[in-house]
Amino acid sequence: MEHQQATAVETTLVESNQPAFSVGIDLGTTHCVLSYLDTREEEACVEVMPIPQLTAPGAVETRSQLGSFLYQPHENEMDASSRVLPWSSEPKALVGAIARNLGSKTPIRLIASAKSWLCHGGVNRRDAFLPAGSPEEVEKVSPLRATELYLEHLAAAWNHTHPNHPLQEQDVTITVPASFDPAARDLTAEAARNIGLTHLTLLEEPQAALYNWIDNSGDKWREQVVVGDIVLVVDIGGGTTDLSLVEVTEEEGNLTLNRIAVGEHILLGGDNMDLALAYRLKMKLAQEGKELQPWQIQAMTHACRDAKEALLNDAELQAVPIVVPSRGSKLLGATLKTELTQQEVQQTLVDGFFPQVAITEHPVQRNRGALTQMGLPYAQDAGITRHIAAFLSKQANALSGEAAPAQDFNPFVNMPGMDGETASADFIKPTAILFNGGVLKSTLLSNRLEETIGEWLIEADAELPKRLTGTDLDLAVASGASYYGSVRRGQGVRIRGGIASSYYVGIESAMPAIPGMAPPMEALCVAPFGMEEGSSVDVPSQEFGLIIGQPVNFQFFGSTVRRDDLAGTHLDYWAPEELEELPEIQVTLPVSEGRREGEVVPVTLASRVTELGTLYLEAIAADNGQKWHVEFDVREDAAQSE
């Protein structure tokens, strides 16, 4: 478990040295994109910067996306002359297209999904363990370092193109999933700070996509939505499915946008689809008497990604050949060749990931085995439509600020062979949909998703939702992020929202010891839903005892449904689906003069949400006002006091 620190981080623009560019970076699970807006020009448009990168040894090309892949070559695999980039003859890492291409042949040396590892609270994200499961001779890096290396490449590419305006001096907005908790947000910000980015803002990806739609629509966006509309933003990328709801409201006669809900962090996206296709081909080869080793399945997964994209983008294409690499010369040839067909792609992806289900059918959670391999916490249910149904049901009363009743969240409903109550069909009904993410570039998949949501609304006697269009699903998030830079300077329409969850700190109950039973945990709301970044709040409550000078654990919880809890709300009971337990924070609070190690100090609490969405908790001694800071953060140092 990672240790924490308590220093808040705030990022502000230096007014005396206004940055020349507003730069947006989509730090995606499978691709990174960099866009920019020249702040010196009144009518400037957002542009996407082509990114030079190695595509093969000795070959440099510019592409609109930088693959979020890092390849760790064997020491004799590539000589120095084959690694040269326009700005360096000795790049620190092989990232982008070349990493993806080389990794498809030698997957044990490929780092992918670093972003998913970055938000995985079950591992120390500073430990060097990627590529996960690779042999000892393969050099390892941490998820944090991998993120830094992607950002370093983007910064070097920018600085090479704009030598008079280094990225470190620009107004940079980096996007993160709406479902990122404060710790994952802070890790992203830390990676950016480590490469010198100081004028930094974090923006939720679905909001960035909506900003891009507003930018592309100009003033006409007000003609496409009206007061009372609820926009469902569905962002399905390579690694995650990100869901948000934005309400169209009115303020002083003007249309305004208010983000009212976000979904859970769902590790389900294009990567899962590639793996599903690879296992389908594995079964096909097994029927031919050809067995594959695990490393070959990894390699075939990368081949399936390319084949999938080709087949989804060209309905006339019937099949794509797949050649599985082999280490034995005897196995080369026709024995390890197969093909992925249009029919196989459609059956696997459409029916497997976008099943036509009822609004009451929610993801099925099965009991996990006692022992499991260390890996990413992927969603157990691959049905994206079931996850969206659960999200809309869970947020049934988002507009009124009331949480949906617990029986709406029964995951074992309408499933054969399972006993469970029938879920309520109550759900929040979107009137408009905005799709984003590379997966939904496929007309086949986006149409199936739109049809399924439409059927839910027809069943509920509601109107079909409008589909908001006019964005490039690969580039919209980065473009919206750079546009957001002008919004922060007072130009354009701002989407309001604040933090997307209520946050609580655990309080250990003071009760007599009972053999075999830990004291029950209570929860105190320290940051209410919608609390604006950069704001503070006192937490009205009784005094609590704070242990100093000894290692202690702080337990935090988050909730996306308890929207009405104010700071100071004390819970001694909650339904399992109301609060989600977040990674524990382990700290040793310093002992100041006049106090002793292990002393229990009576304190009151206050909290602040930093500009980056990090929760910052302050314990204030009742006797002399001394303060201890604990930030829901992921740095190595201990908390500090004043």
Side-chain angles (χ1 to χ4, degrees):
M1 184 63 65
E2 298 163 77
H3 294 289
Q4 321 294 321
Q5 172 178 315
T7 304
V9 176
E10 296 187 30
T11 55
T12 56
L13 296 180
V14 181
E15 296 298 334
S16 60
N17 185 22
Q18 182 71 27
F21 293 95
S22 169
V23 178
I25 296 177
D26 175 6
L27 202 59
T29 307
T30 53
H31 290 98
C32 300
V33 181
L34 189 153
S35 75
Y36 61 95
L37 183 69
D38 192 329
T39 63
R40 299 163 298 179
E41 299 180 12
E42 290 187 10
E43 302 298 327
C45 296
V46 172
E47 297 185 47
V48 173
M49 191 187 85
I51 304 167
Q53 57 197 286
L54 287 163
T55 55
V60 175
E61 298 179 23
T62 58
R63 297 186 176 179
S64 60
Q65 297 175 298
L66 176 74
S68 303
F69 300 94
L70 169 62
Y71 186 74
Q72 300 290 68
H74 187 275
E75 58 182 2
N76 299 322
E77 188 171 352
M78 291 176 64
D79 59 38
S81 63
S82 62
R83 303 187 186 194
V84 176
L85 286 166
W87 52 84
S88 174
S89 59
E90 296 181 5
K92 295 180 181 178
L94 294 177
V95 302
I98 189 172
R100 176 173 172 174
N101 294 337
L102 294 177
S104 65
K105 301 178 182 65
T106 314
I108 60 172
R109 294 185 172 275
L110 180 68
I111 294 173
S113 302
K115 180 178 180 178
S116 298
W117 285 105
L118 196 70
C119 65
H120 184 8
V123 298
N124 188 329
R125 290 151 285 187
R126 282 186 181 75
D127 283 352
F129 60 84
L130 297 178
S134 61
E136 288 185 9
E137 65 266 19
V138 177
E139 183 182 354
K140 307 295 192 299
V141 301
S142 68
L144 180 64
R145 180 58 183 154
T147 305
E148 290 174 7
L149 290 171
Y150 301 148
L151 288 171
E152 282 182 359
H153 187 103
L154 294 173
W158 170 273
N159 293 342
H160 177 72
T161 307
H162 303 86
N164 297 325
H165 301 284
L167 188 64
Q168 288 75 7
E169 296 177 4
Q170 307 313 307
D171 179 4
V172 178
T173 299
I174 296 178
T175 60
V176 295
S179 51
F180 257 20
D181 65 25
R185 290 171 187 258
D186 192 80
L187 274 165
T188 305
E190 182 179 343
R193 288 193 301 269
N194 288 347
I195 70 157
L197 302 183
T198 55
H199 305 309
L200 180 65
T201 302
L202 299 184
L203 177 66
E204 294 173 5
E205 290 165 5
Q207 285 195 46
L210 196 56
Y211 275 126
N212 179 242
W213 172 74
I214 292 171
D215 183 30
N216 289 344
S217 302
D219 288 337
K220 292 184 178 179
W221 74 270
R222 294 180 174 85
E223 300 172 9
Q224 299 183 54
V225 293
V226 297
V227 173
D229 272 342
I230 304 296
V231 182
L232 169 64
V233 184
V234 181
D235 185 351
I236 307 176
T240 59
T241 293
D242 213 7
L243 307 171
S244 286
L245 289 167
V246 177
E247 180 186 10
V248 182
T249 58
E250 186 176 19
E251 188 174 290
E252 298 179 356
N254 296 316
L255 287 184
T256 59
L257 299 170
N258 185 26
R259 194 263 288 115
I260 57 174
V262 302
E264 307 296 335
H265 195 66
I266 307 170
L267 284 185
L268 178 60
D271 290 350
N272 306 71
M273 299 176 188
D274 302 333
L275 190 60
L277 292 171
Y279 271 89
R280 178 161 184 155
L281 294 186
K282 175 182 181 291
M283 293 170 60
K284 186 162 67 172
L285 287 169
Q287 291 172 355
E288 300 171 7
K290 302 166 187 173
E291 293 295 330
L292 298 181
Q293 298 177 35
W295 73 269
Q296 290 175 304
I297 297 172
Q298 282 184 281
M300 191 160 62
T301 301
H302 294 291
C304 284
R305 178 186 295 123
D306 296 329
K308 172 198 73 179
E309 292 172 359
L311 290 164
L312 287 176
N313 292 330
D314 185 357
E316 301 298 320
L317 189 62
Q318 294 304 307
V320 173
I322 302 288
V323 178
V324 185
S326 172
R327 292 179 181 148
S329 58
K330 293 182 180 179
L331 295 178
L332 289 175
T335 53
L336 284 178
K337 285 184 179 178
T338 185
E339 65 176 15
L340 184 64
T341 68
Q342 184 75 245
Q343 183 182 23
E344 288 169 336
V345 168
Q346 294 192 14
Q347 287 178 347
T348 305
L349 302 189
V350 177
D351 296 332
F353 289 87
F354 297 90
Q356 289 182 302
V357 299
I359 187 66
T360 52
E361 292 187 51
H362 298 170
V364 176
Q365 303 293 325
R366 65 180 184 274
N367 290 334
R368 305 188 78 106
L371 298 176
T372 182
Q373 290 183 328
M374 290 302 295
L376 291 170
Y378 289 109
Q380 293 185 22
D381 192 318
I384 291 174
T385 44
R386 282 191 282 269
H387 287 280
I388 296 174
F391 170 63
L392 295 178
S393 299
K394 190 173 186 178
Q395 301 298 338
N397 297 303
L399 293 178
S400 64
E402 300 174 3
Q407 61 264 29
D408 286 355
F409 308 123
N410 182 0
F412 304 109
V413 292
N414 295 347
M415 300 301 295
M418 293 187 178
D419 295 326
E421 300 177 12
T422 301
S424 164
D426 189 23
F427 66 103
I428 191 166
K429 299 166 183 66
T431 59
I433 304 176
L434 179 67
F435 289 152
N436 191 60
V439 168
L440 293 175
K441 287 195 301 183
S442 164
T443 303
L444 185 71
L445 301 182
S446 60
N447 285 349
R448 165 58 76 89
L449 182 51
E450 185 177 17
E451 289 166 6
T452 304
I453 296 173
E455 288 172 4
W456 299 339
L457 293 167
I458 291 172
E459 287 289 323
D461 293 325
E463 293 185 4
L464 289 174
K466 296 164 284 192
R467 185 160 164 184
L468 306 180
T469 58
T471 61
D472 184 314
L473 275 65
D474 281 328
L475 309 178
V477 165
S479 299
S482 55
Y483 170 76
Y484 177 65
S486 64
V487 172
R488 291 177 63 236
R489 287 187 295 273
Q491 304 164 1
V493 180
R494 185 160 194 163
I495 302 170
R496 298 177 303 177
I499 58 174
S501 298
S502 301
Y503 289 107
Y504 306 77
V505 65
I507 307 294
E508 194 173 282
S509 299
M511 62 173 289
I514 300 175
M517 177 181 171
M521 186 70 72
E522 300 176 4
L524 180 72
C525 181
V526 293
F529 182 93
M531 185 174 172
E532 295 286 344
E533 289 85 353
S535 64
S536 303
V537 64
D538 290 326
V539 182
S541 180
Q542 66 191 72
E543 290 183 353
F544 296 100
L546 183 72
I547 302 172
I548 61 173
Q550 294 180 350
V552 293
N553 298 334
F554 281 86
Q555 184 59 64
F556 283 92
F557 303 88
S559 175
T560 61
V561 295
R562 294 192 65 97
R563 310 165 68 89
D564 289 341
D565 286 350
L566 303 176
T569 299
H570 195 161
L571 305 178
D572 55 13
Y573 171 80
W574 55 87
E577 56 279 332
E578 287 186 293
L579 264 60
E580 177 188 3
E581 189 170 342
L582 301 174
E584 205 172 55
I585 292 179
Q586 299 178 349
V587 296
T588 300
L589 299 169
V591 179
S592 59
E593 185 177 351
R595 299 195 187 277
R596 66 183 186 280
E597 182 179 322
E599 182 177 350
V600 179
V601 181
V603 297
T604 57
L605 301 177
S607 66
R608 181 155 59 95
V609 176
T610 72
E611 299 290 346
L612 298 177
T614 300
L615 179 59
Y616 180 89
L617 190 63
E618 190 174 63
I620 307 164
D623 55 1
N624 64 1
Q626 183 183 358
K627 298 177 182 178
W628 288 267
H629 298 160
V630 177
E631 190 171 357
F632 186 33
D633 179 311
V634 282
R635 300 186 187 90
E636 297 294 346
D637 307 272
Q640 61 186 12
S641 65
E642 291 181 358

